[in-house]
Amino acid sequence: MAAKKNNNKGNTADKDFKYYTKTFWKIFIYGMGAIVLFFLFASWGLFGSMPSFEDLENPDSNLATEVISADGVVLGKYFQKNRSQLKYSDLPKNLVDALVATEDERFYEHSGIDGRGTLRAIASLGTSGGASTLTQQLAKQLFHGEGSKFLPFRIVQKVKEWIIAIRLERQYTKNEILAMYCNVYDFGNYSVGVSSAAQTYFSKEPKDLNIEESAILVGMFKNSGLYNPVRNPVGVKNRRNVVLAQMAKGDIITEKEKERLQSLPITLDFKLESHREGTATYFREYLRDYMKKWVDENKKPDGSDYDIYKDGLKIYTTIDSRMQLHAEEAVAAHMANLQEEFFIQAKNNKNAPFVGISDKETQRILTQAMKSSNRWAVLKSADMSDEDIIKSFSVKAKMTVFTWKGEKDTIMTPMDSIRYYKHFLQSGLMAMEPQTGNIKAWVGGINYKYFQYDHVGQGARQVGSTFKPFVYATAIEQLNMSPCDSIIDAPFTMPVGRHHVTAAWTPRNSNNRYLGMVTLKKALANSINTVSAKLMDKVGPEAVVKLTHKLGIKSEIPIQPSIALGAVDITVEDMVAAYSTFANQGVYTKPQFLSRIEDKSGVIIYEPIPESHDVLNKDIAFAIVKLLEGVTEGGSGNRLRTEGGGYGYNRITGYPYKFTNPIAGKTGTTQNQSDGWFMGMVPNLVTGVWVGNEDRSARFKSITYGQGATAALPVWAYFMKLCYADPDLKVSKGEFERPANLSIKVDCYSAPVAKDTTDTPQNTDEFEF
């Protein structure tokens, strides 16, 4: 009986074992099946969309568009997120080594999921660190970000992360994955990707990062908000030292090198990339406006619109970054110097900076500026009445203002700040290669952050005597004249009815002196008004206007003889293009600022077609060049070559210049010294400079400082000195090309004949001498 009982117990134990074994395998098989189904459902997108093959090939990159100079320097970017694409070959080895050692030491061994790390994380319930590989972190960054904190959703996200990581590993090489990871991480301060971060925090290209700088960026991968080197230098140093320790642990650096690097302080060269700061700010804004129109006219292959803020275009420009920096330095150096004189003179002017206008006109200018201000727009949007807004402009407030010595914190009323900013002299400079039309430098103002009006492509101003070469060119072409022909400089009046004048016109020379018989070369060199008026009388304003339009000037020019003295508003851009025609043997070439545009894959999607047309024959163009050389040899531009001083020369920045090479140029000064110009040419570079206040009634009282030779010429000279000191730029010091078999006399060695060669019997009675 006892034996039977024992046998029953054995049978029961066997049954229990078989039952539990069967149950275990059921649970295991069903569990594994459920996990497999879970992964399948996740991969099929039942728990939310998964990236397709096309998505993996072309992830939503949100890349910044880069503006690139002719010499390969990134001038600036257009972005919502400041992110630039890098290839693996662009990454410094020390950064790659630090990243792998710190974030995923078995990166080159796994296929997207680190099994050992995952089991360790599960066993320790996450207390020994996470198990996300670099590929998983990339999957998270590219396709779903941080995701939910709710545990069930978090599990789904992690599964999707694994699936995407495996797909990425199949689709890309390890090096490509590393490059993608370095391109998508947000380092804060509008910097997405290692390229932008290197520029923002260290003002370097990624390839130039040293080990400790790379370690700082790798440390930021853990949490860029917490480990921000600008806000948390202590925490960043600690995190950097952890990265260096991991590099030593992986035998990437020695223990001794680790200790040396860990002792170093955090050293930054922080420059927040901004649309309002940096190099070529005015040009970049002009280009941005151009690109807005370009995207309307140029579509993607699928018919959709390009987005310059997200599509990672590369815009290759004709701007030379070195020339651009030289131009910006020249403008800043001279304008700061000249501005100092302007403030000195303004101290004795109760209505400064305005000269010779009534209180009523002053109030009109200030009121207009007030209603155009950003402050007015903000208060208006807050539903404040005009009366209350106007009152607020008379209440003192803390503000930061621009000065040539840096930004200054002060207290003043908004209305006083308007008057303060009206004091500032502005400038516009453009340099262009006449043979190609390539614009090499573009400075639209003195500081884009505070003064956003572009005085190169946007602002047209009176050009004064710089218009006279167009009159001379018309006369040489139509009357078969030469620079050596003689003409009388004497009082001259154009009677009513001639060339549409409604009142007798008697132009006077700026110094009220008359030289008698002079050559055309001497007349232009000394910018003699009566000679320009006489030539205008010979050819008529219609012919001059027709020529200026052929020279590419787009301004509306009145059909009036007074245009001979430059009472015409023209942009710096158009003036440079027009003068370039003379340097280019009579062929007009439209200014060009684009070389090509590429998409993010490097495919060229746009190349502009150069535009040019014949305007003058080579002989006439060369004759004008020789006339303009006379301006710098002994006329209003001769200070480019002399060593002397003189009253007001303390504001001639960079003086003495002592140029000895051929230079063709022309100064220009408008009525009341509201505008100062200098157009300067050497064989392969034409540069125009304008200087003046925003308001024409804000000006110097005397011609000493307001004339083109003092206000604008020094900017050109300073710029050229910097260009000549940089031999890589290859700016010419040679002669202008002389046409073969030149038919016009240009070398005027003998004294002028005692006869006005422009006089003819039919019109001598029309002049009053």
Side-chain angles (χ1 to χ4, degrees):
M1 196 72 175
K4 190 176 182 180
K5 283 182 181 180
N6 288 335
N7 189 44
N8 285 340
K9 285 181 180 178
N11 289 339
T12 301
D14 289 341
K15 286 179 181 179
D16 288 345
F17 178 77
K18 289 178 181 179
Y19 172 77
Y20 288 123
T21 301
K22 186 177 181 181
T23 302
F24 169 79
W25 284 111
K26 274 185 180 180
I27 293 171
F28 178 79
I29 291 169
Y30 288 144
M32 290 301 296
I35 290 172
V36 170
L37 284 175
F38 186 77
F39 272 82
L40 284 173
F41 290 161
S43 66
W44 293 339
L46 295 181
F47 300 137
S49 62
M50 291 286 287
S52 64
F53 178 82
E54 290 77 15
D55 292 331
L56 291 174
E57 278 289 305
N58 300 290
D60 182 16
S61 54
N62 202 13
L63 284 171
T65 287
E66 295 183 341
V67 179
I68 303 169
S69 71
D71 53 319
V73 174
V74 176
L75 298 172
K77 302 172 186 176
Y78 306 129
F79 56 84
Q80 290 174 339
K81 289 186 175 181
N82 182 11
R83 179 183 159 212
S84 299
Q85 196 83 293
L86 281 176
K87 296 177 182 176
Y88 177 80
S89 57
D90 298 323
L91 293 170
K93 187 176 185 304
N94 56 47
L95 186 141
V96 172
D97 290 342
L99 179 60
V100 173
T102 306
E103 295 291 328
D104 191 354
E105 60 185 350
R106 283 183 291 279
F107 174 70
Y108 294 104
E109 300 167 17
H110 62 67
S111 298
I113 301 173
D114 182 1
R116 210 190 319 172
T118 301
L119 290 174
R120 185 197 69 234
I122 293 172
S124 65
L125 298 177
T127 57
S128 62
S132 287
T133 64
L134 282 174
T135 317
Q136 287 174 251
Q137 293 178 46
L138 174 62
K140 183 195 302 184
Q141 291 281 340
L142 284 177
F143 297 110
H144 57 72
E146 285 302 316
S148 175
K149 293 186 178 180
F150 181 51
L151 183 59
F153 291 168
R154 187 72 174 170
I155 292 171
V156 170
Q157 177 188 307
K158 182 60 69 173
V159 169
K160 290 169 67 176
E161 217 174 84
W162 286 343
I163 295 168
I164 297 169
I166 292 169
R167 290 181 178 179
L168 286 171
E169 289 275 352
R170 290 175 180 172
Q171 194 70 28
Y172 298 102
T173 66
K174 290 287 187 180
N175 288 350
E176 287 172 333
I177 289 170
L178 278 172
M180 290 174 71
Y181 184 75
C182 288
N183 283 329
V184 301
Y185 190 77
D186 189 340
F187 287 88
N189 289 307
Y190 308 107
S191 301
V192 179
V194 166
S195 179
S196 296
Q199 287 288 350
T200 298
Y201 295 110
F202 305 110
S203 298
K204 287 185 176 182
E205 293 295 321
K207 61 183 174 61
D208 298 323
L209 293 171
N210 56 39
I211 294 177
E212 60 268 28
E213 290 166 344
S214 290
I216 289 173
L217 294 185
V218 169
M220 293 178 72
F221 277 108
K222 183 175 180 67
N223 186 330
S224 61
L226 175 62
Y227 299 112
N228 185 310
V230 178
R231 295 196 301 265
N232 183 14
V234 175
V236 168
K237 184 176 182 180
N238 292 336
R239 180 61 188 163
R240 179 203 66 182
N241 289 351
V242 169
V243 174
L244 293 170
Q246 288 296 110
M247 294 178 76
K249 181 181 175 183
D251 293 327
I252 298 165
I253 59 176
T254 64
E255 280 293 324
K256 187 175 180 180
E257 191 174 10
K258 178 197 79 171
E259 291 171 4
R260 181 185 68 81
L261 293 170
Q262 286 181 335
S263 67
L264 295 174
I266 298 293
T267 304
L268 305 177
D269 188 359
F270 180 73
K271 290 178 183 174
L272 189 64
E273 290 201 54
S274 164
H275 301 307
R276 294 189 173 190
E277 296 176 350
T279 307
T281 45
Y282 290 92
F283 171 73
R284 285 190 274 127
E285 194 57 33
Y286 178 87
L287 179 61
R288 186 211 301 271
D289 191 57
Y290 170 85
M291 290 301 296
K292 288 177 184 176
K293 303 182 184 85
W294 184 87
V295 296
D296 288 336
E297 299 167 2
N298 298 269
K299 305 293 182 181
K300 291 181 180 179
D302 62 4
S304 61
D305 291 336
Y306 285 103
D307 186 335
I308 66 169
Y309 302 103
K310 296 176 66 177
D311 284 341
L313 304 180
K314 293 188 183 297
I315 305 173
Y316 290 88
T317 71
T318 62
I319 298 291
D320 186 291
S321 70
R322 298 158 297 183
M323 277 196 191
Q324 180 67 32
L325 289 172
H326 295 334
E328 290 177 6
E329 180 181 338
V331 168
H334 180 63
M335 297 308 293
N337 186 21
L338 196 64
Q339 188 66 53
E340 189 176 342
E341 181 66 35
F342 193 92
F343 276 122
I344 290 171
Q345 295 189 19
K347 287 180 181 178
N348 299 320
N349 178 6
K350 292 182 180 180
N351 194 31
F354 309 109
V355 177
I357 63 172
S358 64
D359 291 342
K360 183 178 180 181
E361 177 63 13
T362 300
Q363 193 56 48
R364 185 194 67 78
I365 293 172
L366 295 177
T367 300
Q368 183 180 26
M370 175 178 65
K371 291 185 176 181
S372 301
S373 69
N374 183 62
R375 179 186 181 87
W376 181 280
V378 170
L379 295 179
K380 195 71 177 172
S381 66
D383 294 327
M384 280 184 68
S385 67
D386 287 4
E387 184 180 354
D388 288 339
I389 295 175
I390 291 170
K391 286 180 181 178
S392 76
F393 271 79
S394 298
V395 178
K396 288 187 176 183
K398 291 181 179 180
M399 61 182 70
T400 302
V401 297
F402 168 80
T403 79
W404 274 112
K405 294 179 180 179
E407 293 182 333
K408 179 183 178 182
D409 293 329
T410 187
I411 297 175
M412 66 171 72
T413 69
M415 184 56 76
D416 284 342
S417 74
I418 289 174
R419 190 182 280 268
Y420 168 75
Y421 282 123
K422 293 289 187 185
H423 281 73
F424 279 91
L425 292 157
Q426 302 295 325
S427 184
L429 177 153
M430 191 181 104
M432 183 175 118
E433 199 173 64
Q435 292 77 21
T436 62
N438 288 345
I439 297 171
K440 310 307 288 184
W442 179 304
V443 184
I446 59 172
N447 185 291
Y448 185 77
K449 182 178 179 180
Y450 287 92
F451 308 98
Q452 292 171 23
Y453 192 77
D454 184 356
H455 293 284
V456 170
Q458 189 178 7
R461 294 291 291 248
Q462 275 199 13
V463 295
S465 295
T466 56
F467 190 86
K468 289 176 180 175
F470 309 147
V471 180
Y472 280 67
T474 308
I476 290 173
E477 182 178 45
Q478 292 200 357
L479 305 176
N480 295 317
M481 297 182 72
S482 85
C484 303
D485 281 341
S486 301
I487 191 166
I488 293 176
D489 170 25
F492 162 72
T493 295
M494 187 175 290
V496 175
R498 185 160 177 79
H499 297 310
H500 318 292
V501 296
T502 57
W505 180 49
T506 306
R508 302 187 184 281
N509 292 334
S510 60
N511 58 5
N512 289 316
R513 295 177 185 174
Y514 302 93
L515 301 179
M517 198 70 71
V518 293
T519 61
L520 290 191
K521 187 172 184 178
K522 185 172 182 178
L524 186 62
N526 291 279
S527 208
I528 298 174
N529 288 340
T530 57
V531 172
S532 295
K534 287 181 72 174
L535 294 176
M536 176 64 79
D537 182 58
K538 296 287 185 181
V539 300
E542 291 86 354
V544 176
V545 171
K546 183 178 180 181
L547 176 64
T548 57
H549 285 151
K550 287 175 71 177
L551 289 167
I553 290 171
K554 297 181 280 292
S555 304
E556 288 188 20
I557 302 175
I559 310 295
Q560 293 291 334
S562 59
I563 64 175
L565 308 186
V568 180
D569 286 1
I570 303 175
T571 64
V572 172
E573 181 183 12
D574 281 359
M575 286 297 287
V576 171
Y579 269 68
S580 292
T581 305
F582 303 135
N584 193 33
Q585 300 188 323
V587 178
Y588 168 82
T589 303
K590 185 179 179 180
Q592 188 94 334
F593 54 86
L594 280 181
S595 296
R596 67 185 185 278
I597 301 175
E598 295 179 357
D599 66 15
K600 66 181 179 181
S601 301
V603 177
I604 297 175
I605 56 177
Y606 178 74
E607 278 187 291
I609 300 171
E611 298 179 32
S612 64
H613 58 257
D614 292 339
V615 178
L616 300 166
N617 70 44
K618 293 181 179 181
D619 291 4
I620 296 172
F622 186 71
I624 299 300
V625 168
K626 298 306 286 185
L627 282 171
L628 294 170
E629 283 186 356
V631 174
T632 69
E633 289 167 356
S636 58
N638 69 339
R639 66 182 69 193
L640 289 171
R641 304 190 183 282
T642 60
E643 295 185 39
Y647 183 64
Y649 273 49
N650 60 317
R651 301 301 176 192
I652 308 302
T653 317
Y655 187 89
Y657 311 115
K658 294 189 287 188
F659 291 114
T660 58
N661 56 291
I663 297 170
K666 186 70 191 79
T667 57
T669 309
T670 61
Q671 191 174 22
N672 295 327
Q673 304 83 236
S674 294
D675 305 274
W677 287 80
F678 186 73
M679 304 297 301
M681 305 194 299
V682 295
N684 65 350
L685 193 68
V686 177
T687 306
V689 181
W690 166 86
V691 171
N693 289 81
E694 178 185 284
D695 294 276
R696 301 183 194 211
S697 54
R699 56 182 176 80
F700 281 107
K701 290 182 179 180
S702 73
I703 199 169
T704 300
Y705 297 102
Q707 65 178 311
T710 310
L713 178 146
V715 176
W716 184 90
Y718 198 107
F719 169 62
M720 292 300 291
K721 283 180 74 173
L722 293 173
C723 287
Y724 282 141
D726 191 342
D728 291 339
L729 295 178
K730 296 180 171 57
V731 177
S732 174
K733 287 188 176 182
E735 300 276 352
F736 287 87
E737 184 178 351
R738 190 182 186 98
N741 304 314
L742 181 64
S743 62
I744 299 174
K745 184 180 179 182
V746 297
D747 301 313
C748 315
Y749 299 116
S750 59
V753 298
K755 178 184 177 183
D756 186 338
T757 53
T758 66
D759 267 343
T760 54
Q762 64 265 31
N763 70 0
T764 50
D765 293 338
E766 295 170 2
F767 294 91
E768 295 180 8
F769 299 115

